[in-house]
Each structure stands twice: as C-alpha cells, then as structure tokens.
Amino acid sequence: MNDTITKVPYIPHDAPFSGEQKNWLGGFFAGLHSRLATGAGQAAPAAAVVESKPIDIIFGTQTGNAETVAESAANLARTKGFTPRVAEMDDISIDQLAAMQNLIVIISTYGEGEMPDNAHQFWDALSASTAPRLESLNYGVLALGDTSYDAFCQAGKLVDTRLEQLGAKRLSDRVDCDVDFEDAAEAWVANTIPDAGTAAPVAAQPPKPVKSGWGRKNPYAAKMIENRVLSGTKSAKEIRHIGFDLGDSGLKYEAGDALGVMPINAPDLVQGWLDRLGISAETDVNGTAIGDQLSTQFEITTPSRDLIRALEPLVADHELSHVISNGDKEALEHFLWGKDTLDLLNLKPDLVLDPAQVLGWLKPIQHRAYSISSSPNANPGEVHLTVAAVRWMYENRPHRGVCSTFLSDLVSQGSTAGVFVSPNKSFRVPEDNSVPMIMVGPGTGIAPFRAFLQERHARGATGANWLFFGDQHRTSDFIYEDEIGKFSKSGLLTRLDLAFSRDQSEKIYVQHRMTENGKDLYAQLEEGGYFYVCGDATHMAKDVDAALHHIIETQGGMTPEAATDYVNRLKREKRYVRDVY
C-alpha cells in the first residue's frame, strides 16, 4: 500500500460486540484516523485541523488490479477533503457496511463470473436475506473484467444490483472496464468521488512514491539472460526457466508478484493470416502496414466473441450456426477446442474477406502475467519465470500459445522482451519469520514458492517450510529438483511431499498427500501457519480446497459448518491465499 494511504482498523467479524457497539467503535477509529492522518500521529497546526469526512473504498481482486485502482481512488479522495478508509471486501462485516455513508467498490471478476477470493465472504453476507437496509449509503461500483468471457464483469454487476436492492443510492452509474481499464477507471473515479465540502483545506499529504513508469502501455525492454528447459526429454510438457536482466529500469518487485510480458505474434502465424487474406505484409490498412498490426497490435490466436458472431453467417458452417443459435456455451467451447482464429477463417476458404473489417473484429493483443519465481533479495537486478510452452497440432498445422512460445522460441538470449511488474500484495511471505509456511504448487505452480523459499532464506526465517509438489512423472517432470534438494539438505525446506500422478496405477495428486498428512498440516495451521496454493484453478485448486476443509473437519473434530468458518477465518487473516489461473 502506498505510504499516502492508511488503512483504518476495522472491527473483526467475530469480535464480541453487538452491531451497535461495532458501529460506535468504527466511528471512533475513523475519527482517530482523521487526526492521525494529519501528521503520522503528531499534532497538526490548529489552522490545519479539520474533521474530514470518511469515505470507504473497498476492493475485491485476484491479481492486484482492483487494489491499484483503490489506491489511486484514495489519493484522489484526500484531495477532495475525505479521509479514505481502504479495505479488502472480506475485511468488512455487514454491520460495518450498514454504518457507512459514502462507499466506493472496485471489484474484478474472476474466471467465469465468480467473485475474487477476497470478496466471497462479503458477497455471502450482502446477498443473504438477512442483509440490512442501506438507505443511508451512497455508493459507486467500478467493475473490472474481460470481454473474452461471457460473464463479463459479473461480480461488479451483482454487487451493484444488490446494493440498489437494499436501498443504497448511486453516486454514479457503474462502469464495466475491459482489460484496458486504466483510462476508464481513472475517469470513473474522478467523476464518482464527490467533494466532501470541508470548511478548510485538509493537511498536506506526503508526496507519492516515485514509480518506475513502466507498465502495460509502456513495458521495459528487458534483456533475456537465461532460457533453459527444465522438463526431461520424455516429458509430455515443455517447461522452461526464463531469466531477465532488469538493467537500469528501476523495476522493483517482491516475492509473490507477477511479471507482465507483452508478446509478439509468431511470424509463421502472421504469414498464414496474410496468405488467407490474399495480401502482403506491406499492404496499408487504416494507415499502417497490416503485417505490423498483425504482429504486435492484435490478438490473432484466440478468436474474439465479435469475430465468432461476425463470421458465423458468412462461413455457413452447420455446427457453428447450430451451437450459436442454441446459445449452448459448452457446445461452443467443444466446437472451438483446438482451433485458433485462422482455423475459423478457413472454415470457408473461398470466402473473400475485407482486411479492415476483419481487424475490426479483433481484440488488442494483451500481456500475459506469469508468477515470478525469484526473490529480488537472492537475485538482485534479475527476475525469473517458470513457463510452460503451449503447443498442439490441429489440421496438420502447428498451433502455439501466444506468449509462452514467444518467450521459448522468439526471444533468444541477449535479445529483449517488453515486461512490467504486476504487484500481488495479497500473496506474500509471512511478515513473521517464525510462523510455518505450507505451499501447494504442482507443475508450474511451484514458481512463486521457489521465490518464497529464496526470500525466507534471505530473511533468515526460522519458521518451518513445507512444500507439496507434483506432476506426471518424477523422472521427467520434477522441475527444479536439484534446487529443491539443496533447500531440503540445508534445512530451509523442512518438509517435502511429492505426488507424481502417473508413476503408479492409481493416480495420486497433491490433495491426496495433504490428506495423508492431515494431522501435521492441521497442527501447523493451529501454530499460526500460512497456507498457499498456486496453479490450475479449474481442478487442482478446487480439489485442494476440498481437502483442506476435510482435514480441518476431521483433525479438528468440527462440523462441516465449523470447518468452513475456520477456513474463512484463515482467509480473513490472510493465512489462506491463492494465486490460481
């Protein structure tokens, strides 16, 4: 969190106070905060002391974007005479919500219309039939999402509608932002936060921290210093270790952050598009050579929803028309499986396409975010990634993941790629170096935990470190085996449990190893341990979550409801956090 933003203490959900008492205490803390904000606890000159109004800014985020917007909103709120109180959504109880007057909600949508991890408990309380009326609340909702998904900005839409149902009044209409959210978000925040109407100017704030200036729109050209294959020759996967030199960029990161990489489309795929459109790379389309546009400006692998809708009546493919007319999402996904956008253009090879019109159906090419697999304290001036190169064949044509093979094939050692840091402040090594740390990261999910172990070593942390890792075969898929062995031998990694699913007739996964060691795992949680998960969100993360609930229920002698409360408490205390995709 920026130095200019102070989080106001909120009363814990399970604190032994009535709703009225919590409301009073919340007001007390807000008043105390407005005084402390004038000078880090020192008395301000009498002329500058102002009872500034509180404004609550809450965010729900999976990757950190909503938190970044919340920080900017808080800085703007200060200039308008407010004392901003910034919190994650799950840190807010329904009683605290009922006591608020001005509320800014910034929330991203995760997966197919789901709430982000740190907003589930807030939404459960808000959507419950017992939720209080909120006629005294003024609010605004900024929704972040991705139009590639059917449930675009669904989380924000749900929260906005529910607040209205409970009687709250909008400060402004909700805005739904696509992946290029920065400009729209900035404009919405400026138009939504009202003027506090304070009688005197608020105390001057300390200057904002100087940022590197590198971002999605202006990535830093980092030199690749390492690109080596980690997986064995017989592996079904191709996993690589990628290293970049950050040079004089000024880019800073922490273990747990992600690195955004701006890819360039593969030359042979670009040529395939040019051949299909029947034009040369130099052909001017909308004032720019189309070859350059297809290489660096547009997403030409994954078909956009606009392109699918536009092509359907033109290609006259019976199966495609059938699934679209029926609105069958699963059938459409099945139809698209293995196909890229060029495959859709080739559904009717003799169809003449207008290049300018086709470009209008495409989305801008987007960065890909990779969990950083290094600690800056162990690797000064460098940043490391663990990347699975995605490749497949369809209709005798090789297909590739856009960014993974850009890094694997097109960026050679010594050349550069555009990068920037995406902070993930919720996914961090424990501040207390003495507490246990349990990490579940199969496959490339091990990436941030390599960084965590390096960080714990650099800090001289004494807390236990326990890693659950797995993949298909030990002989070919045990990436970073030598490093993990050294971590174990040195005592840094105090426990390692492996699950290689295809080395025996019965498949064994990390969640099975968790259950086998449930007694010890629960004991470490009881000792204040932190539980981390990184990797596949569709199956692995859900199975691990179910196993965690089962372990707490059985080892703690709890009912399913009590086990859920226990897990929710871990989440509120930021001791159960996930980096899943």
Side-chain angles (χ1 to χ4, degrees):
M1 190 67 67
N2 286 350
D3 293 339
T4 57
I5 299 171
T6 303
K7 290 189 177 181
V8 174
Y10 280 100
I11 313 303
H13 296 245
D14 51 359
F17 303 117
S18 67
E20 184 177 349
Q21 289 171 326
K22 288 179 180 177
N23 291 344
W24 185 90
L25 286 169
F28 170 78
F29 281 129
L32 177 63
H33 176 270
S34 68
R35 290 169 173 80
L36 293 178
T38 62
Q42 297 178 357
V49 176
V50 178
E51 287 293 331
S52 60
K53 295 181 180 179
I55 186 170
D56 291 280
I57 302 171
I58 63 176
F59 61 90
T61 187
Q62 197 69 33
T63 61
N65 287 336
E67 182 174 8
T68 299
V69 178
E71 292 175 355
S72 297
N75 286 327
L76 178 63
R78 289 185 185 279
T79 69
K80 293 192 173 187
F82 284 102
T83 296
R85 305 186 296 192
V86 182
E88 297 183 42
M89 293 175 74
D90 275 355
D91 287 344
I92 304 301
S93 72
I94 199 70
D95 291 333
Q96 291 161 352
L97 178 67
M100 295 176 182
Q101 295 180 334
N102 294 294
L103 173 67
I104 301 296
V105 181
I106 302 164
I107 182 171
S108 63
T109 295
Y110 166 63
E112 292 291 348
E114 299 175 34
M115 294 285 163
D117 279 357
N118 66 345
H120 279 286
Q121 295 173 62
F122 176 90
W123 173 244
D124 288 344
L126 186 69
S127 58
S129 60
T130 55
R133 299 293 297 172
L134 301 171
E135 275 90 355
S136 62
L137 178 66
N138 301 307
Y139 78 97
V141 174
L142 179 70
L144 307 184
D146 184 343
T147 52
S148 298
Y149 294 91
D150 290 332
F152 173 58
C153 286
Q154 182 67 13
K157 293 173 182 177
L158 289 172
V159 171
D160 181 45
T161 300
R162 183 56 175 161
L163 289 172
E164 179 186 41
Q165 290 172 345
L166 294 173
K169 301 174 184 65
R170 289 187 180 87
L171 291 164
S172 67
D173 290 338
R174 185 192 74 249
V175 166
D176 300 330
C177 300
D178 202 354
V179 286
D180 297 322
F181 65 88
E182 290 91 345
D183 292 343
E186 182 179 357
W188 181 88
V189 168
N191 291 331
T192 301
I193 297 179
D195 190 274
T198 51
V202 295
Q205 300 301 316
K208 297 179 182 179
V210 177
K211 297 183 178 181
S212 66
W214 306 111
R216 182 176 55 81
K217 295 183 178 180
N218 182 36
Y220 172 70
K223 182 171 68 175
M224 181 178 282
I225 55 176
E226 192 172 10
N227 183 347
R228 59 186 171 92
V229 177
L230 296 172
S231 44
T233 56
K234 295 183 179 181
S235 175
K237 305 177 181 181
E238 180 188 326
I239 300 177
R240 290 177 178 260
H241 178 83
I242 305 290
F244 286 106
D245 182 354
L246 296 177
D248 59 355
S249 66
L251 281 170
K252 305 293 183 183
Y253 71 92
E254 295 184 46
D257 287 342
L259 190 74
V261 179
M262 291 300 301
I264 296 173
N265 289 313
D268 62 336
L269 180 60
V270 171
Q271 187 59 52
W273 270 71
L274 295 172
D275 293 343
R276 175 62 185 85
L277 296 173
I279 55 179
S280 70
E282 292 74 29
T283 301
D284 186 289
V285 178
N286 300 325
T288 307
I290 191 169
D292 293 338
Q293 295 182 67
L294 293 175
S295 294
T296 62
Q297 295 183 25
F298 290 106
E299 173 60 68
I300 63 173
T301 296
T302 303
S304 69
R305 294 164 66 187
D306 288 345
L307 181 137
I308 294 170
R309 292 194 191 100
L311 275 182
E312 182 268 322
L314 301 178
V315 298
D317 181 271
H318 173 74
E319 184 179 358
L320 177 59
S321 297
H322 177 73
V323 298
I324 289 180
S325 63
N326 289 340
D328 190 333
K329 179 181 174 183
E330 290 186 4
L332 178 60
E333 290 178 353
H334 183 268
F335 174 83
L336 294 174
W337 182 257
K339 299 181 179 71
D340 65 8
T341 307
L342 184 56
D343 291 318
L344 297 187
L345 298 181
N346 287 331
L347 287 173
K348 191 173 183 181
D350 59 347
L351 174 66
V352 177
L353 296 163
D354 175 25
Q357 185 178 41
V358 173
L359 292 185
W361 299 337
L362 302 179
K363 292 189 66 174
I365 194 168
Q366 296 299 325
H367 75 277
R368 272 58 170 178
Y370 293 95
S371 301
I372 293 175
S373 56
S374 57
S375 162
N377 291 319
N379 305 273
E382 298 180 9
V383 63
H384 301 170
L385 305 178
T386 307
V387 178
V390 178
R391 308 178 194 274
W392 73 99
M393 292 291 294
Y394 181 82
E395 296 291 335
N396 297 316
R397 179 168 67 85
H399 292 57
R400 307 178 188 88
V402 177
C403 196
S404 63
T405 56
F406 165 70
L407 289 172
S408 300
D409 304 346
L410 301 180
V411 186
S412 58
Q413 190 165 326
S415 58
T416 63
V419 306
F420 60 96
V421 173
S422 292
N424 188 352
K425 297 175 184 178
S426 298
F427 203 77
R428 289 280 188 263
V429 170
E431 292 184 9
D432 184 345
N433 289 328
S434 67
V435 299
M437 190 170 69
I438 304 164
M439 302 160 284
V440 182
T444 55
I446 196 175
F449 303 136
R450 178 180 185 262
F452 277 24
L453 289 168
Q454 291 181 354
E455 180 68 16
R456 292 272 269 192
H457 179 263
R459 293 185 184 186
T462 57
N465 299 308
W466 186 354
L467 174 65
F468 290 88
F469 173 78
D471 211 314
Q472 294 183 356
H473 300 284
R474 177 166 185 151
T475 56
S476 54
D477 298 310
F478 193 174
I479 61 174
Y480 296 120
E481 181 177 8
D482 290 344
E483 288 187 35
I484 291 173
K486 291 177 182 177
F487 288 150
S488 296
K489 184 175 291 186
S490 70
L492 175 67
L493 184 59
T494 49
R495 187 159 181 175
L496 173 66
D497 280 281
L498 302 172
F500 292 101
S501 61
R502 301 186 185 182
D503 279 349
Q504 59 283 311
S505 57
E506 181 182 358
K507 290 184 179 179
I508 297 175
Y509 298 107
V510 286
Q511 64 267 23
H512 299 133
R513 297 303 189 207
M514 286 172 53
T515 302
E516 292 170 3
N517 297 280
K519 181 178 180 181
D520 291 342
L521 195 155
Y522 180 71
Q524 290 206 359
L525 292 177
E526 286 289 276
E527 293 172 12
Y530 282 59
F531 186 79
Y532 300 91
V533 182
C534 182
D536 167 56
T538 306
H539 300 292
M540 183 277 295
K542 292 179 180 178
D543 292 338
V544 166
D545 185 74
L548 180 63
H549 279 78
H550 175 73
I551 289 168
I552 292 168
E553 182 181 340
T554 55
Q555 299 299 326
M558 302 182 193
T559 64
E561 293 76 17
T564 297
D565 289 342
Y566 188 102
V567 171
N568 286 341
R569 178 165 61 84
L570 292 178
K571 291 178 179 178
R572 287 195 300 272
E573 295 173 354
K574 308 302 181 286
R575 291 171 51 211
Y576 175 18
V577 290
R578 309 190 306 168
D579 177 10
V580 295
Y581 38 84

